[in-house]
Amino acid sequence: MADITEHLESADTVIAVVGATDTPWKYGGKIYCDLKAKGFQVRAINPNRDSVDGDPAFPDLASVPDQIDIVNVVVPPDVGERIVIDAAELGLTHIWFQPGAESQRVIEQARAAGLDVIHHQCIMVRAGRVG
C-alpha cells in the first residue's frame, strides 16, 4: 500500500474533500479550492450541496464514480466517525483528518478499521503543485 503522502506527487490522485463548501471562510472551501488549483482531482462530498466551485458535489463517498485515493475530512469528529465506517466499507485505505476534524476516538476508529491515517497536519501545507 502506498503511503498517503506519495499520492500527493501525482495529478491523477483523486481526493474526496468531505465537508467541501462554497463558503469562502470555511476550511472545506479553502481546502477544496487549494487542492483543485494545485492540479489534484478533487471530489466534493457534502449532502447539503449540489455543487462546489462549479463542480458536482456528492452526498457521500459511495456516490463518487471514481476510485478515491485520499479521503480528506474537514467535518467535526462525530461526523467523521460515519466517514470512517463508509471509507472502510468501500475498501478505501487512506484518510486524512484536517486539524479540528480529528479526535483520539475517530483516529483510533480509523486505525482499527485498517485505514492509513494522517492527522494534526494540513493537507494544503503538505501538498505541492502537481500536473
Side-chain angles (χ1 to χ4, degrees):
M1 170 180 4
D3 178 82
I4 294 176
T5 57
E6 289 176 26
H7 286 290
L8 298 178
E9 298 171 12
S10 171
D12 294 330
T13 295
V14 175
I15 303 173
V17 180
V18 180
T21 182
D22 276 327
T23 307
W25 62 87
K26 290 191 172 185
Y27 282 105
K30 290 178 183 181
I31 292 167
Y32 185 86
C33 290
D34 178 81
L35 294 174
K36 182 177 173 180
K38 288 177 177 170
F40 292 100
Q41 305 297 312
V42 289
R43 304 296 179 261
I45 310 299
N46 188 328
N48 301 312
R49 302 202 51 87
D50 292 327
S51 66
V52 171
D53 196 41
D55 303 325
F58 301 94
D60 52 39
L61 295 172
S63 300
V64 176
D66 311 292
Q67 175 62 40
I68 298 168
D69 298 303
I70 300 173
V71 177
N72 183 251
V73 181
V74 194
V75 294
D78 58 327
V79 178
E81 291 177 19
R82 180 72 237 174
I83 302 307
V84 168
I85 293 167
D86 292 348
E89 287 177 353
L90 291 168
L92 304 177
T93 55
H94 303 301
I95 195 162
W96 191 309
F97 295 103
Q98 288 296 130
E102 77 279 85
S103 69
Q104 194 59 40
R105 177 178 165 147
V106 76
I107 292 166
E108 290 172 4
Q109 176 191 13
R111 287 185 176 143
L115 300 175
D116 186 16
V117 178
I118 288 186
H119 58 89
H120 292 98
Q121 296 180 46
C122 181
I123 197 168
M124 293 188 299
V125 174
R126 293 289 302 271
R129 185 169 300 275
V130 297

